[in-house]
Amino acid sequence: MKTITTLVVAAAALGFSSLASAQFAKPEDAVKYRKNALFVMQQHYARVGAMASGRAPFDAKVAADNAAIAEAMPRLPWAAFGEGTDKGDTKARPEIWMEQAKFKAAAEKMQGEMSKLAAATKTGNLDSVKAAFQATAASCKACHDDFRQ
Ligand code: HEC
C-alpha cells in the first residue's frame, strides 16, 4: 500500500494531474479515469469509515494505511473534468462547467478534510478519527448534492 501511495503522491507532485486532461485520447477515457479514481478513493475511505462507525475493529495502522491512499487519490479526478466530458456514462451535472470555482472549492475542501482524517489516523485516537471522518463525509455530500446526479 505504501508503494501505491508513494507512486500517486509522486505522480501528483510531478504535475500529472494538470497534464492529465491533455493526455486523454477520448472524452470517454477521462470519464472512466475520474470515476475509477473516485472509486478507488472510496474503497480506502470506506475501510476507515467501517472503523469509525464500529463496523470493524479499530486498528490504527490499517486506518492510517488506508487513509493515506484515500488522501492521495483525490488529487487525480478533477483534471479529468475537462471540456467535452459532460456526456456519456457519467453522473456529472452541467453545473460543474458552469460553476467551476465552486466545484474547485468543494474539491479543495474535501482534500483538506481528507488530510485531517489522515492526520487523525496517525494519532491512533479513535474519537479524533470519528470526528474527522464525519467532517470528510459532509464534504463529499456537499459536492455530490450540487454536482452529481
Ligand atoms: C468536488 C466535488 C466532489 C467531491 C468533493 C466528492 N465527489 Fe464523489 N463524485 C463527484 C462527481 C461529479 C461524481 C460523478 C463522476 C462521473 O460520473 O463522471 C462523483 C462520483 C463519485 C463516486 C462514483 C464513482 C464511480 O464508480 O462512478 C464515488 C464512489 C464517489 N464520488 C465518492 C466520493 C467520496 C467518498 C467523496 C468524499 C471523500 C467524494 N466522492 C467527494 C464529485 C465529488
Side-chain angles (χ1 to χ4, degrees):
M1 271 193 203
K2 242 186 189 134
T3 318
I4 298 173
T5 312
T6 310
L7 284 174
V8 172
V9 171
L14 287 169
F16 179 77
S17 48
S18 53
L19 288 174
S21 60
Q23 286 178 344
F24 297 112
K26 312 183 282 251
E28 300 92 278
D29 290 350
V31 171
K32 197 169 161 188
Y33 174 95
R34 71 195 184 207
K35 284 163 62 177
N36 287 345
L38 287 161
F39 177 78
V40 171
M41 172 187 75
Q42 195 268 339
Q43 294 299 302
H44 293 279
Y45 172 69
R47 288 175 201 168
V48 182
M51 293 184 219
S53 66
R55 278 178 289 119
F58 181 52
D59 179 324
K61 163 100 174 72
V62 174
D65 283 350
N66 281 289
I69 297 171
E71 183 192 9
M73 289 309 295
R75 298 187 188 146
L76 303 180
W78 319 124
F81 285 88
E83 250 176 74
T85 67
D86 54 340
K87 297 178 271 301
D89 187 14
T90 177
K91 294 205 163 79
R93 281 170 52 173
E95 283 78 4
I96 292 171
W97 293 274
M98 287 156 18
E99 298 167 39
Q100 289 200 357
K102 192 177 165 192
F103 185 67
K104 189 165 180 273
E108 279 166 5
K109 168 83 180 147
M110 185 266 272
Q111 184 74 66
E113 298 297 355
M114 200 63 105
S115 296
K116 286 187 212 157
L117 176 61
T121 59
K122 286 184 196 148
T123 68
N125 179 317
L126 183 56
D127 285 336
S128 309
V129 174
K130 281 183 187 169
F133 183 84
Q134 276 166 13
T136 310
S139 72
C140 309
K141 186 177 182 297
C143 188
H144 290 166
D145 285 351
D146 287 340
F147 295 109
R148 187 174 78 160
Q149 280 165 26

